[in-house]
Amino acid sequence: MKLTMASSPHNHSHKNVSKLMLSVIAACIPGIIAQCYFFGFGVIVQLFIALITASASEAVMLKLRNRPIWTSLSDGSAWLTAVLLAVSIPPLAPWWVVVIGTIFAIAMVKQLYGGLGFNVFNPAMAAYVLLLISFPVQMTSWNAPSELLAQPISVADTLSLVFFAENGAGQNLISTMTGVDGTTMATPLDTVKTAVSQNLTVTEAMSAVQFGEYAGIGWMWVNLAFLAGGLFLLKAKVINWHIPVAMLGALALCAAIGFIIAPGSHGGSIFHLLSGATMLGAFFIATDPVSASTTNQGRLIYGACIGVLVYVIRNYGGYPDAVAFAVLIMNMAVPLIDHYTQPRTYGHGAAK
């Protein structure tokens, strides 16, 4: 039996970057299925457009940088960015929205900083914020959940709306949604925020047809599906528990305090946890190994600050959902957090 002498560490990980990225993409599948069920085939269309654009953008940038194309592309990081951006965009958004966002995420945020491992910001969230600020109408035009529609939007109409901005009858997105459901296209978070600004209570806002018992119809199940995927990542040790637990715990605590102080204008913990991109952000976005904190104590601080910022921006900011903004703000704070939370080196600080 041959013994091999080697320096530490002696416990080697059998997971490479490609397997980790593909594991995260696989964990997104329950959430993607839930989105398709409640919001239609447009989710798959956006995914295909984003994946094709991400692959092309990555290949072009690698070629310009004289780097091996397939070696870098096959690590799956560009595909994961495409998936996270695609599921964050309204299913019936015009095709050019996801194309612009994906090119920006890959070319500007990732490759211009040096590629995987060097980007300061989360590429998908940086692209999402760019799109939200630049194209607010397209980025907030979510169609109502399928069970609220008088008739489902067909695959043909979905393709026509995404690629030609009108359905088979010549109606644009606004006309189509008004015709099939007659209700607002606002998300539950946006509905509550608007109602509170009009001096209505949260309870009155949640009496609208798009709300279920705890949160918005469709959105609640999408969040639970991403929660299931996130628990799979924790079980497989693809991510650490510190960031999602700290983020969700801080958000739930802030929501509980706000609800106790002013129940008429603040939603409860369950509402915030099961609305918007909460679970997607906690398990799939905030845990990005490149742009997140790298120490255990730092991860707790990083995640908790994201949770607090999500709550503050949702209630007092200008945007109904705040995950992308909170993550980007804390990305900037990561070097400072890591600097002050580095574990002490063995033997350092011993008595002289």
Side-chain angles (χ1 to χ4, degrees):
M1 184 175 181
K2 184 178 178 180
L3 297 176
T4 301
M5 299 296 293
S7 61
S8 61
H10 304 291
N11 185 17
H12 298 282
S13 174
H14 296 285
K15 297 178 181 178
N16 55 29
V17 174
S18 177
K19 289 182 179 179
L20 290 174
M21 295 297 173
L22 293 177
S23 296
V24 178
I25 293 174
C28 288
I29 292 177
I32 293 172
I33 292 174
Q35 276 194 323
C36 289
Y37 178 81
F38 287 102
F39 298 106
F41 180 73
V43 177
I44 301 299
V45 177
Q46 302 292 348
L47 277 170
F48 272 106
I49 298 173
L51 287 169
I52 293 171
T53 306
S55 300
S57 301
E58 184 96 328
V60 170
M61 292 301 296
L62 290 169
K63 180 68 174 177
L64 293 175
R65 297 178 59 211
N66 295 318
R67 299 295 179 88
I69 296 177
W70 178 246
T71 302
S72 299
L73 187 59
S74 61
D75 65 20
S77 60
W79 300 332
L80 177 58
T81 296
V83 170
L84 295 178
L85 180 60
V87 298
S88 303
I89 290 176
L92 299 179
W95 63 270
W96 47 265
V97 170
V98 70
V99 168
I100 292 174
T102 306
I103 292 175
F104 179 79
I106 300 299
M108 303 295 292
V109 184
K110 180 184 177 185
Q111 287 297 332
L112 287 187
Y113 277 89
L116 180 63
F118 295 96
N119 50 284
V120 178
F121 299 101
N122 183 291
M125 292 301 95
Y128 178 86
V129 168
L130 170 77
L131 295 175
L132 184 61
I133 294 173
S134 303
F135 313 109
V137 174
Q138 289 79 5
M139 288 295 291
T140 55
S141 296
W142 281 85
N143 48 299
S146 56
E147 62 183 85
L148 298 180
L149 301 179
Q151 61 184 53
I153 301 176
S154 67
V155 173
D157 281 344
T158 297
L159 294 173
S160 296
L161 286 167
V162 171
F163 290 104
F164 305 108
E166 60 182 28
N167 62 11
Q171 296 177 312
N172 61 21
L173 176 60
I174 304 299
S175 300
T176 301
M177 297 314 304
T178 303
V180 297
D181 68 334
T183 63
T184 177
M185 291 182 295
T187 63
L189 285 170
D190 194 26
T191 300
V192 170
K193 194 177 189 70
T194 302
V196 170
S197 68
Q198 297 173 346
N199 296 321
L200 298 176
T201 65
V202 173
T203 302
E204 291 172 331
M206 293 183 67
S207 64
V209 294
Q210 63 263 44
F211 286 93
E213 185 175 356
Y214 301 108
I217 295 175
W219 293 95
M220 178 178 71
W221 293 106
V222 169
N223 272 279
L224 290 174
F226 279 116
L227 171 61
L231 294 177
F232 163 77
L233 293 178
L234 290 175
K235 177 69 175 178
K237 300 186 184 304
V238 174
I239 61 174
N240 294 295
W241 62 268
H242 305 77
I243 292 176
V245 170
M247 174 183 164
L248 297 177
L251 176 59
L253 178 62
C254 289
I257 294 174
F259 184 75
I260 292 172
I261 296 175
S265 58
H266 292 76
S269 298
I270 296 179
F271 170 72
H272 278 282
L273 292 176
L274 298 181
S275 297
T278 301
M279 296 300 171
L280 176 67
F283 291 98
F284 296 90
I285 295 171
T287 54
D288 175 27
V290 177
S291 58
S293 182
T294 57
T295 67
N296 287 340
Q297 184 181 354
R299 289 177 182 132
L300 291 172
I301 297 172
Y302 174 80
C305 288
I306 290 176
V308 172
L309 285 172
V310 167
Y311 180 77
V312 171
I313 297 173
R314 281 181 177 180
N315 284 278
Y316 306 107
Y319 294 92
D321 200 1
V323 171
F325 292 96
V327 169
L328 293 181
I329 291 171
M330 291 311 301
N331 284 164
M332 293 186 288
V334 163
L336 182 66
I337 294 174
D338 282 352
H339 176 75
Y340 285 104
T341 58
Q342 287 292 334
R344 190 175 65 180
T345 306
Y346 180 74
H348 180 75
K352 297 181 179 179

